[in-house]
């Protein structure tokens, strides 16, 4: 995160440094377009005229005389150099008089008129001067509109000057508006994130004031009707039918709607026209040009926003407290808007050639043959395909393939944009600056990932032991990292398994538990054999047993039963620390690892090498409601227990310490007096495994378990009638002998049983989408009933 912040700061610094110079920046911020249009119009009205010093060459490249007869062969081509103009008196006097009349009418001082003359008449030379070139007597003859020669000091053709000046003014106005609306959009989006982050930081700095506001009627109503509910009904994290997508929450939907509406407005307003126009022969062609430039610029802006929001090292996650899932939702909408604007950009430039003043398909074919034009077509197609292939069914079923294709298409679209803009426009309009920002955000995230790998692995790798949880397709991975600074509850890590192939792939896994103090293991007879196929190591003989932990307050023991055995490995010398993961095997890399383990004896552990990117999420801004919670309720479904176990460990770590020391040691749950864990799972073997390996010696935690799998494997039901919560409410276990109920978890009853008048309850949810949506619905009802309830969702949406 620090690396990304430094890189973003450097890129923004470079941007504004460029904006402060004459040759850098964007229109309105470092670049000025047609600043002295009155003078430039004089120049452009006269620049096509031949002078007495103009040199000519025919089509065969033969140079002719410097001075030609006005009845010359029209097959000859003329070239007028700046040296020619600075020595030609008719040019100098006509330009000086035109600037005096046109710019003087706009209030230019004599000194500014002189600067204009130096810039546009003599190419920046100091001599001859403006005053030297003013004619002694005012010219009286106006050049005809179709003039080709300037042999005498003359008046500029007024019709031509009017058309030229109006064209320059309208085009410059349009370009300034493109930049203005782009910057407004940027500041609204990023500024909103920063303002929310400031609000979160202030709430953490002044918790008592925050609590008072939180209990106020206005805030309560906002949470009831905007902050907490799903958009319609209760569906939020549960995908729509046929996996069409997710429905954002009500607050997020409002934010996205405002963002989309702003883009529609900025893409549609403030277009003008000036006719007769020296660039475009009709109003339709002119408006297509302006619309194409506006939508093209806004598309680049939204691409940069989408790239920023997609990064796992996005600094705004820590500032705002919003989850990466939230930012990925915003990323998708920003990308969709950018794609639609790119398509509108292409359509506008295509419609131009339907104009009656052009030859239609023939003119379009000639333009499309130019490199800058077909690079633009490639960019639009690549961006459209990247958006089209990002549909939810593909993301779910073929995530690794989707990710590779997505990255390739985005890189192709950015490269295409570069060759569409820079070779054709150069750096005159500053369009490339938006590409620089895209490159900066994308590169910063990738470099941050690489820096994390180097830092957390110390230029080496980490070791890990992996075993299959009996009776289910879940892997228990214990990682022995080289660095554990910053590890805590609610976090996940990205792991690379180079020995299993696909070394470029990384996958996120929630951290279930961690140990900062570990008793040394006594080596026993063991045999490590190398698997040549994938570089992993397997252990096939006896293992040493782990002695009882000496400091249960500082850890949740992961090997507490006599059956569990530990593998002494080289990784123990890395600070004697570890963290643990529970991973369900799917069809990708985790499936490959599961199949490899299946080739070893049942119950054996395999030692492998891996790389970690360190620890993500778990930001104070995200978990702020836990700081002031009196009761913490974890509603967990299936493998979501992995995330909840970190909070159990955090709570238990301070349970045996009394007084002020307990308040300080509990970290984010320093005020909590009650912690409830309610978990449902489909595999009874998984429930038993977690109870025996992660939930021993956890005094003070209340447990509620449900088995939702096949009835034939169900445990003995408790004697209490189905749905009777009285026994569950009174059951405060001191051990882990908690009975496992059969059937669905009664989420509403559990939440209601955790509430107390005048006390704050924070509900942590990590489970399937349907379960999370039901918990959200019940929390909304509780808030409406006047209870002080907060909701923290821990979810990864594809």
């Amino acid at each position: 995160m620090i690396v990304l912040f430094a890189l973003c700061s450097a890129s923004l610094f470079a941007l504004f440094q460029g904006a402060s110079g004459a040759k850098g920046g964007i229109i309105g911020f470092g670049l000025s377009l047609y600043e002295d249009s009155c003078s430039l119009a004089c120049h452009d009205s006269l620049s096509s005229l031949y002078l007495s010093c103009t040199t000519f060459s025919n089509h065969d490249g033969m140079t002719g005389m410097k001075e030609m007869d006005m009845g010359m062969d029209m097959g000859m081509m003329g070239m007028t150099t700046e040296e020619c103009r600075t020595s030609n008196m008719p040019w100098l006097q006509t330009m000086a008089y035109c600037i005096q009349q046109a710019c003087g009418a706009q209030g230019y001082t004599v000194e500014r008129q002189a600067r204009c003359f130096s810039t546009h008449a003599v190419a920046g030379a100091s001599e001859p001067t403006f005053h030297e070139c003013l004619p002694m007597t005012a010219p009286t003859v106006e050049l005809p509109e179709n003039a080709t020669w300037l042999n005498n000091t003359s008046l500029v053709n007024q019709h031509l000057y009017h058309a030229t000046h109006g064209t320059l003014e309208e085009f410059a106005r349009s370009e300034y508006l493109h930049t203005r609306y782009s910057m407004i959009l940027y500041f609204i989006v990023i500024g909103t994130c920063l303002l929310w982050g400031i609000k979160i930081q202030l709430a953490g700095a002044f918790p008592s004031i925050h609590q008072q506001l939180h209990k106020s009627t206005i805030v309560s109503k906002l949470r009831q009707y905007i902050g907490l509910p799903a958009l319609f009904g209760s569906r939020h994290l549960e995908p729509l039918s046929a996996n069409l997508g997710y429905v954002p929450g009500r607050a997020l939907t409002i934010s996205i709607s405002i963002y989309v509406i702003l883009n529609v407005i900025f893409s549609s307003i403030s277009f003008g026209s000036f006719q007769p126009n020296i660039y475009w022969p009709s109003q339709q062609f002119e408006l297509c040009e302006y619309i194409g430039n506006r939508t093209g610029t806004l598309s680049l802006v939204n691409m940069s926003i989408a790239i920023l929001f997609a990064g796992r090292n996005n600094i705004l996650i820590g500032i705002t407290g919003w989850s990466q899932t939230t930012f990925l939702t915003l990323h998708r909408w920003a990308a969709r808007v950018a794609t639609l604007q790119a398509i509108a950009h292409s359509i506008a430039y295509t419609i131009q050639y339907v104009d009656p003043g052009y030859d239609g398909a023939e003119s379009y074919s000639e333009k499309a043959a130019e490199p800058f034009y077909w690079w633009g077509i490639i960019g639009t197609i690549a961006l459209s395909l990247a958006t089209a292939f990002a549909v939810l069914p593909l993301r779910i079923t073929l995530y690794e393939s989707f990710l590779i294709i997505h990255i390739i298409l985005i890189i192709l679209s950015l490269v295409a944009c570069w060759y569409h803009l820079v070779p054709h426009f150069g750096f005159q309009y500053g369009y490339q600056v938006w590409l620089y920002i895209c490159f900066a955000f994308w590169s910063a995230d990738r470099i941050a990932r690489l820096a994390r790998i180097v830092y957390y692995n110390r230029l080496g790798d980490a070791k890990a032991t992996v075993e299959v949880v009996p009776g289910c397709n879940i892997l228990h991975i214990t990682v022995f990292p080289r660095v554990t600074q910053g590890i805590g509850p609610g976090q996940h890590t990205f792991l690379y398994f180079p020995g299993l192939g696909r070394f470029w792939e990384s996958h996120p896994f929630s951290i279930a538990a961690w140990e900062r103090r570990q008793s040394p293991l006594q080596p026993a007879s063991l045999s490590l054999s190398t698997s040549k196929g994938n570089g992993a190591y397997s252990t096939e003989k006896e293992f040493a047993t782990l002695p009882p932990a000496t400091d249960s307050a500082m850890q949740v023991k992961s090997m507490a039963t006599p059956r569990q055995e530990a593998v002494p490995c080289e990784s123990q010398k890395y600070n004697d620390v570890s963290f643990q993961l529970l991973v369900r095997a799917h069809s990708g890399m985790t499936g490959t690892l599961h199949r490899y383990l299946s080739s070893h004896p049942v119950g054996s552990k395999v030692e492998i090498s891996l790389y970690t990117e360190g620890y993500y999420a778990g930001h104070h801004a995200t978990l702020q409601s836990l700081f002031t919670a009196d009761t913490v309720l974890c509603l967990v479904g299936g493998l979501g227990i992995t995330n909840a176990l970190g909070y159990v460990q955090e709570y238990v770590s301070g349970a045996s310490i009394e007084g002020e020391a307990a308040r300080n040691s509990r970290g984010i749950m320093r005020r909590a007096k009650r912690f409830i864990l309610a978990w449902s799972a489909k595999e009874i073997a998984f429930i038993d495994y977690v109870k025996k390996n992660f939930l021993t010696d956890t005094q003070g935690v209340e447990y509620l378990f449900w088995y939702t799998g096949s009835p034939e494997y169900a445990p003995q039901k408790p004697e209490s009638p189905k749905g009777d919560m009285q026994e569950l409410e009174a059951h405060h276990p001191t051990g882990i002998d908690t009975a496992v109920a059969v059937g669905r978890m009664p989420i509403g009853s559990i939440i209601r049983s955790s509430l107390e008048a005048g006390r704050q309850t924070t509900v942590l949810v990590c489970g399937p989408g349907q379960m999370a949506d039901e918990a959200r619905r019940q929390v909304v009802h509780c808030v409406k009933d006047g209870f002080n309830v907060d909701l923290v969702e821990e979810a990864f949406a594809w």
Side-chain angles (χ1 to χ4, degrees):
M1 191 69 73
I2 295 174
V3 174
L4 179 62
F5 179 77
L7 288 169
C8 287
S9 299
S11 63
L12 289 175
F13 176 77
L15 168 63
F16 288 110
Q17 279 291 101
S20 64
K23 297 183 179 179
I26 53 181
I27 300 296
F29 295 85
L31 287 179
S32 297
L33 189 63
Y34 310 151
E35 185 175 6
D36 297 310
S37 59
C38 58
S39 174
L40 183 59
C42 291
H43 174 276
D44 290 355
S45 299
L46 299 170
S47 59
S48 63
L49 300 178
Y50 298 141
L51 305 179
S52 60
C53 54
T54 300
T55 58
F56 294 87
S57 61
N58 58 26
H59 291 298
D60 296 327
M62 297 297 292
T63 302
M65 299 285 295
K66 281 190 176 183
E67 299 186 15
M68 301 295 298
D69 191 302
M70 292 188 65
M72 55 170 277
D73 181 3
M74 294 308 296
M76 305 292 283
M77 303 296 295
M79 182 180 68
T80 306
T81 64
E82 293 300 334
E83 291 78 6
C84 168
R85 290 194 174 102
T86 57
S87 62
N88 186 272
M89 193 54 65
W91 164 268
L92 296 172
Q93 290 185 341
T94 302
M95 274 291 296
Y97 189 77
C98 180
I99 290 173
Q100 183 187 54
Q101 296 299 306
C103 296
Q106 295 188 14
Y108 278 38
T109 64
V110 175
E111 290 76 13
R112 188 173 180 184
Q113 294 175 32
R115 289 196 297 270
C116 292
F117 179 83
S118 175
T119 301
H120 296 122
V122 295
S126 58
E127 292 183 352
T129 66
F130 173 65
H131 298 286
E132 292 173 349
C133 295
L134 279 173
M136 297 297 294
T137 59
T140 57
V141 178
E142 181 177 318
L143 289 166
E145 193 170 354
N146 62 348
T148 57
W149 286 85
L150 178 62
N151 291 318
N152 302 294
T153 302
S154 307
L155 294 173
V156 173
N157 182 273
Q158 286 303 303
H159 179 77
L160 178 59
Y161 177 86
H162 176 72
T164 303
H165 184 261
T167 298
L168 297 177
E169 286 281 291
E170 185 58 40
F171 182 76
R173 187 189 74 89
S174 179
E175 289 295 318
Y176 278 107
L177 286 175
H178 302 339
T179 298
R180 182 179 303 170
Y181 291 144
S182 298
M183 295 298 292
I184 291 173
L185 181 64
Y186 225 103
F187 282 122
I188 288 176
V189 172
I190 306 301
T192 300
C193 296
L194 295 178
L195 287 175
W196 183 263
I198 292 173
K199 178 260 182 189
I200 292 295
Q201 302 305 321
L202 290 175
F206 305 99
S208 59
I209 298 176
H210 172 66
Q211 281 185 298
Q212 293 297 322
L213 291 173
H214 199 262
K215 296 176 182 178
S216 67
T217 303
I218 296 178
V219 173
S220 179
K221 292 294 183 183
L222 288 174
R223 295 179 69 237
Q224 288 178 40
Y225 297 106
I226 297 179
L228 288 172
L231 181 59
F232 301 112
S234 60
R235 191 184 291 262
H236 172 49
L237 287 177
E238 183 183 6
L240 295 171
S241 300
N243 285 330
L244 292 179
Y246 299 99
V247 180
R250 195 168 294 177
L252 187 57
T253 299
I254 292 173
S255 301
I256 292 172
S257 300
I258 293 173
Y259 168 75
V260 173
I261 291 171
L262 282 174
N263 273 280
V264 171
I265 292 173
F266 290 159
S267 299
S268 310
I269 63 172
S270 305
F271 292 113
S273 175
F274 184 88
Q275 293 293 329
N277 195 291
I278 63 169
Y279 293 159
W280 302 293
S282 70
Q283 187 179 59
Q284 174 182 307
F285 200 104
E286 182 184 7
L287 289 176
C288 285
E289 183 79 17
Y290 298 153
I291 293 171
N293 288 355
R294 175 78 59 81
T295 53
T297 302
L298 288 174
S299 179
L300 292 175
V301 171
N302 285 301
M303 281 179 67
S304 69
I305 293 173
I307 292 172
L308 171 64
F309 287 172
R312 66 179 64 159
N313 290 283
N314 175 10
I315 193 173
L316 296 175
I317 294 176
I319 293 175
T320 61
W322 301 340
S323 66
Q324 188 176 13
T325 297
T326 298
F327 275 103
L328 286 176
T329 301
L330 295 172
H331 155 76
R332 286 191 285 271
W333 279 99
R336 289 164 186 161
V337 171
T339 301
L340 290 175
Q341 288 169 333
I343 293 173
H345 170 81
S346 299
I347 291 175
Y349 274 100
T350 302
I351 290 177
Q352 282 184 324
Y353 294 92
V354 183
D355 186 89
Y358 283 78
D359 296 330
E362 183 179 347
S363 296
Y364 180 79
S365 299
E366 292 178 3
K367 179 61 68 173
E370 298 181 29
F372 96 96
Y373 207 94
W374 51 258
W375 271 115
I377 295 174
I378 291 173
T380 299
I381 293 174
L383 190 60
S384 300
L385 290 176
T387 303
F389 289 160
V391 292
L392 183 58
L394 182 59
R395 300 202 307 268
I396 291 176
T397 57
L398 298 170
Y399 182 76
E400 287 84 1
S401 300
F402 150 75
L403 195 59
I404 293 173
I405 294 172
H406 195 68
I407 292 173
I408 291 174
L409 288 173
I410 293 302
I411 293 176
L412 177 59
S413 66
L414 291 175
V415 171
C417 286
W418 177 267
Y419 284 105
H420 174 61
L421 295 173
V422 176
H424 184 69
F425 298 103
F427 304 98
Q428 181 180 1
Y429 303 108
Y431 297 143
Q432 77 286 347
V433 170
W434 302 114
L435 280 176
Y436 291 158
I437 298 176
C438 292
F439 297 151
F441 285 149
W442 191 87
S443 301
D445 184 67
R446 298 290 164 170
I447 294 173
R449 296 185 192 186
L450 180 61
R452 278 176 167 271
I453 293 173
V454 172
Y455 174 75
Y456 284 101
N457 298 278
R458 292 292 192 263
L459 298 178
D461 57 8
K463 301 297 182 183
T465 59
V466 188
E467 62 179 318
V468 178
V469 175
C472 52
N473 64 335
I474 294 174
L475 308 177
H476 182 183
I477 304 176
T478 302
V479 181
F480 299 86
R482 295 171 180 259
V483 177
T484 56
Q485 292 177 353
I487 195 170
Q491 292 187 324
H492 60 270
T493 185
F494 284 85
L495 298 183
Y496 298 77
F497 296 86
L500 299 177
R502 300 183 183 180
F503 61 89
W504 62 88
E505 286 187 8
S506 62
H507 296 263
F509 302 107
S510 295
I511 297 175
W514 59 93
E515 297 185 16
R516 295 191 179 93
R517 298 179 184 178
Q518 186 175 15
S519 300
L521 299 175
Q522 300 299 325
S525 173
L526 50 99
S527 172
L528 296 178
S529 61
T530 303
S531 176
K532 298 179 181 179
N534 56 17
Y537 304 93
S538 65
T539 304
E540 299 178 349
K541 293 191 177 181
E542 295 185 55
F543 310 131
T545 58
L546 177 69
T550 58
D551 190 359
S552 62
M554 296 303 294
Q555 59 182 328
V556 173
K557 295 186 292 183
S558 63
M559 300 180 183
T561 63
R563 188 197 67 78
Q564 290 297 325
E565 298 166 325
V567 182
C569 59
E570 181 187 358
S571 57
Q572 293 170 12
K573 67 185 180 182
Y574 302 142
N575 302 324
D576 288 331
V577 295
S578 66
F579 63 83
Q580 300 174 64
L581 316 167
L582 294 170
V583 178
R584 188 177 297 278
H586 291 286
S587 59
M589 181 274 299
T590 52
T592 302
L593 182 58
H594 186 265
R595 288 191 296 273
Y596 175 73
L597 289 173
S598 300
S599 64
H600 295 80
V602 176
S604 65
K605 296 184 180 180
V606 172
E607 182 180 321
I608 61 174
S609 297
L610 51 78
Y611 294 93
T612 175
E613 275 189 27
Y615 318 110
Y616 288 90
H619 304 290
H620 283 193
T622 306
L623 308 176
Q624 192 176 80
S625 61
L626 292 173
F627 283 85
T628 55
D630 299 297
T631 300
V632 177
L633 168 62
C634 284
L635 296 176
V636 186
L639 200 63
I641 188 65
T642 310
N643 182 269
L645 289 173
Y647 295 102
V648 173
Q649 174 169 344
E650 179 78 359
Y651 181 83
V652 170
S653 67
S656 62
I657 306 174
E658 298 180 355
E660 188 65 26
R663 293 173 60 86
N664 295 330
S665 66
R666 281 188 184 173
I668 61 174
M669 290 178 282
R670 61 191 63 175
R671 282 190 51 179
K673 302 298 189 297
R674 189 181 179 195
F675 191 102
I676 307 167
L677 173 64
W679 177 33
S680 65
K682 293 181 179 180
E683 301 102 333
I684 191 64
F686 184 34
I687 296 175
D688 290 338
Y689 187 87
V690 171
K691 288 166 61 176
K692 293 176 182 178
N693 289 275
F694 290 89
L695 296 177
T696 57
D697 195 15
T698 51
Q699 297 288 338
V701 178
E702 304 171 36
Y703 301 100
L704 305 171
F705 298 132
W706 278 265
Y707 170 69
T708 59
S710 176
E712 60 181 301
Y713 299 111
Q716 185 67 34
K717 294 184 180 181
E719 295 182 1
S720 59
K722 185 177 180 181
D724 185 2
M725 291 299 299
Q726 292 181 356
E727 178 183 346
L728 296 176
E729 291 174 13
H731 187 46
H732 298 173
T734 57
I736 197 62
D737 299 323
T738 308
V740 178
V742 179
R744 295 186 62 182
M745 179 191 300
I747 295 175
S749 299
I750 295 172
I751 293 177
R752 291 282 177 174
S753 69
S754 68
L755 303 179
E756 298 179 53
R759 297 172 68 86
Q760 178 182 335
T761 298
T762 295
V763 179
L764 284 164
V765 184
C766 188
Q770 187 176 5
M771 176 186 185
D773 292 347
E774 175 62 16
R776 176 179 290 273
R777 189 175 71 86
Q778 294 296 335
V779 167
V780 171
H781 289 327
C782 293
V783 172
K784 289 182 179 179
D785 292 340
F787 290 101
N788 189 5
V789 190
D790 278 315
L791 178 68
V792 177
E793 263 180 356
E794 295 285 351
F796 175 79
W798 294 96

